[in-house]
Amino acid sequence: IKSLLDDAGADSDDSAIPLVNVTGPIFKKVIEYCQVHKDDPPASEEEEGGKDKRNDEIEQRDLAFTKIDQGTLFELILAANYLDIKPLLDLTCKTVANMIKGKKPEQIRKTFNIKNDFTAEEEEQVRKENEWCEEK
């Protein structure tokens, strides 16, 4: 957000900041998240380096925040990315990852309302090419 202020040349407290990619309701959710996490310590270099990236656990205080409809969740992902709020981006992406985790492709398509545009042959080819990553 600081870079947005700098780019906009906002010198006073009453300057408007253009947020063309973020709607008002989504920005309110972003502010809500930031207020809850304002005293959190910055991520350590070890966490930034990837150790924590494989952790799909969501803190208790964030569970209620992420219990939102999919449209809002995906708009929050876009807003967190646009505003460069990495902890919010990580949280929202973890939420989506947990929605997918352990599901079969058909279940994922149903969850996210994705049309299957593969033929049966194409689907079988993709399964064969990626069977190395299947849990057995």
Side-chain angles (χ1 to χ4, degrees):
I1 295 178
K2 181 182 181 335
S3 62
L4 287 172
L5 288 170
D6 293 342
D7 291 346
D11 295 332
S12 67
D13 291 341
D14 59 351
S15 296
I17 305 168
L19 295 176
V20 294
N21 296 333
V22 183
T23 64
I26 296 301
F27 192 61
K28 285 181 183 177
K29 290 290 286 179
V30 170
I31 295 299
E32 176 187 335
Y33 174 86
C34 290
Q35 286 174 333
V36 168
H37 291 274
K38 71 179 185 277
D39 296 324
D40 289 358
S44 68
E45 285 185 34
E46 189 174 274
E47 289 170 332
E48 290 287 328
K51 174 186 168 271
D52 195 50
K53 290 199 186 294
R54 306 276 310 179
N55 181 358
D56 59 358
E57 293 178 19
I58 295 176
E59 291 183 31
Q60 193 65 36
R61 66 181 175 171
D62 290 329
L63 284 175
F65 181 82
T66 58
K67 297 244 186 271
I68 51 180
D69 65 89
Q70 283 184 20
T72 302
L73 179 61
F74 288 115
E75 284 189 59
L76 270 175
I77 290 171
L78 294 173
N81 186 50
Y82 177 70
L83 297 170
D84 196 25
I85 304 173
K86 188 172 179 341
L88 178 57
L89 183 60
D90 289 346
L91 170 65
T92 51
C93 288
K94 280 182 186 182
T95 301
V96 172
N98 287 340
M99 293 168 74
I100 293 171
K101 187 176 177 181
K103 291 187 177 179
K104 300 215 176 279
E106 299 79 28
Q107 295 169 308
I108 295 169
R109 284 189 197 104
K110 186 175 180 182
T111 299
F112 296 104
N113 197 25
I114 300 170
K115 181 180 174 248
N116 183 2
D117 54 359
F118 285 112
T119 65
E121 295 81 24
E122 290 171 328
E123 207 166 318
E124 185 57 35
Q125 180 183 354
V126 170
R127 279 197 173 96
K128 283 181 181 176
E129 290 172 358
N130 296 291
E131 63 185 12
W132 60 271
C133 66
E134 294 285 325
E135 289 184 27
K136 296 189 183 201

